[in-house]
Amino acid sequence: MSVERFVEGRPMPLELWDLSAEAAPRPKKVRRWRDKFGEAIRGLKLGIRGHSSFSVHFFFAALVVAAAFALEFDWFEWCLVLGCVGAVIAAELFNSAIETLFHGLDRETKHRIHGCLDIAAGAVLATSLTAAIVGLIVFGRKVLILTHVVQV
C-alpha cells in the first residue's frame, strides 16, 4: 500500500517528500521535581477549594483520626484507616477533575458524555462505602476488645 501526498489535487512522488521536519522530535522542556510537586499541590488546593463535598470528607477524616488517637490504634490499624481516608480523598479529587473538565465542554458534548459524571460520583460512593465498612470492622473490633467482649 503506497502512501501519497496530494499537491493541487495530483499525487506527489514519494522522493519529493521532506519528512525531516515532521519526524524531528520536539525538544521537551525539562521539569524539575520541585515544579512537579508545586503543580500537584496547586491541583490539590484547586480540588479542595473548588468543591463543597470536601468539607464532608474532611470532617469525617478528622473525626476518624481523633477516634483512632482516643482508641490508641496500633500501626496496622493506622495503616488501614489512613489508607481508606487517602483513597476517599483521591477518589473525590478524580471526581472533581472530571467535573471541571465537563464544565468546560460545549452543550452537545456535555449531553453525549453526561454519564461520565455519574460514573465518577459512583466511584466516590463505592470508595466511601468501602472505607466505611473497613472503619466499622477496625473500630468495632477495637471497641469490642476495650469493652472486654472479645479477648485478644
Side-chain angles (χ1 to χ4, degrees):
M1 176 171 94
S2 73
V3 178
E4 297 178 341
R5 291 190 180 185
F6 290 88
V7 177
E8 297 175 5
R10 294 177 300 162
M12 184 172 77
L14 291 175
E15 56 271 357
L16 296 179
W17 284 16
D18 181 18
L19 297 177
S20 60
E22 291 178 353
R26 295 180 183 176
K28 291 188 177 186
K29 181 181 174 185
V30 178
R31 290 173 47 211
R32 295 179 299 188
W33 280 101
R34 184 179 65 186
D35 296 336
K36 292 178 184 180
F37 280 112
E39 293 165 2
I41 290 170
R42 186 177 66 238
L44 192 60
K45 288 178 186 177
L46 288 171
I48 292 169
R49 289 181 185 165
H51 297 86
S52 61
S53 57
F54 271 101
S55 60
V56 175
H57 292 299
F58 281 129
F59 171 76
F60 282 107
L63 193 66
V64 163
V65 168
F69 271 118
L71 293 173
E72 298 177 354
F73 274 16
D74 64 15
W75 67 271
F76 185 72
E77 293 163 332
W78 272 109
C79 289
L80 287 171
V81 168
L82 293 178
C84 287
V85 168
V88 170
I89 290 173
E92 187 61 50
L93 283 169
F94 283 123
N95 184 39
S96 297
I98 291 171
E99 286 178 1
T100 302
L101 282 172
F102 184 82
H103 292 306
L105 299 174
D106 59 56
R107 176 170 279 175
E108 181 182 322
T109 307
K110 282 182 180 180
H111 180 69
R112 285 194 326 247
I113 64 166
H114 197 273
C116 291
L117 290 178
D118 297 336
I119 293 169
V124 174
L125 178 63
T127 307
S128 298
L129 289 175
T130 303
I133 291 168
V134 170
L136 284 173
I137 293 169
V138 173
F139 280 97
R141 179 182 173 276
K142 192 70 165 184
V143 168
L144 290 175
I145 289 171
L146 290 174
T147 57
H148 302 292
V149 174
V150 174
Q151 298 295 324
V152 181

